[in-house]
Amino acid sequence: MLAGPVVATAAIVLATASTLANDRHALNGLFCNTKAQVEMVFKEAGRGIPFQGVVEMVNQDKVVCVHATKVRYVVRNIGSVSTMVSRGSQLNIYEATLTGLIVGGNSRPIEPPLQIFFVPTERLPSAVLLRGA
């Protein structure tokens, strides 16, 4: 008898999580082309090298990472891909589709959208984590 309400509740939860995962979020944080680049930045920063210095070191040959503090990256289809510890804090590394930037209140689309890996400054809704599960 409980199967119907349980299934219905599960369907609502999954539908809500799916909707949140596909919502667009405008975020600040560290954004890189690969997960390995994100991990490298936090690993080196954990050794006491200034964060911006590590980002510049990773970008020595070409820009592959951005520490976005003023520009907001607009992403969708967010999923958690892994966690790591840096300076005693656990960080979630996410993968998403980059669809635009917000610069000085102006929206700028990214065409074609790009896959990107990031650690946001803001906390994301927990439902977004389902994609990487």
Side-chain angles (χ1 to χ4, degrees):
M1 296 284 181
L2 290 177
V6 171
V7 171
T9 301
I12 291 169
V13 169
L14 290 175
T16 302
S18 174
T19 301
L20 285 172
N22 289 316
D23 280 352
R24 293 174 193 247
H25 297 271
L27 305 168
N28 293 113
L30 176 71
F31 295 83
C32 296
N33 292 345
T34 69
K35 177 182 155 213
Q37 292 160 342
V38 171
E39 291 170 337
M40 182 189 320
V41 169
F42 280 100
K43 180 179 176 185
E44 295 299 321
R47 293 183 178 160
I49 300 172
F51 196 81
Q52 192 56 41
V54 175
V55 172
E56 289 171 9
M57 179 181 72
V58 171
N59 289 336
Q60 190 170 17
D61 295 327
K62 64 179 181 176
V63 176
V64 295
C65 293
V66 173
H67 183 217
T69 57
K70 296 179 179 159
V71 173
R72 297 179 72 78
Y73 276 49
V74 180
V75 295
R76 63 178 167 81
N77 299 329
I78 301 169
S80 178
V81 292
S82 67
T83 61
M84 68 179 298
V85 176
S86 179
R87 296 184 180 183
S89 296
Q90 183 171 323
L91 304 171
N92 285 312
I93 299 174
Y94 298 93
E95 180 180 8
T97 303
L98 176 65
T99 61
L101 302 171
I102 298 177
V103 182
N106 297 313
S107 180
R108 310 220 196 261
I110 300 291
E111 288 295 332
L114 305 170
Q115 288 306 108
I116 195 158
F117 294 83
F118 66 99
V119 173
T121 305
E122 304 88 335
R123 185 173 179 90
L124 295 175
S126 60
V128 179
L129 304 178
L130 291 178
R131 179 173 165 244

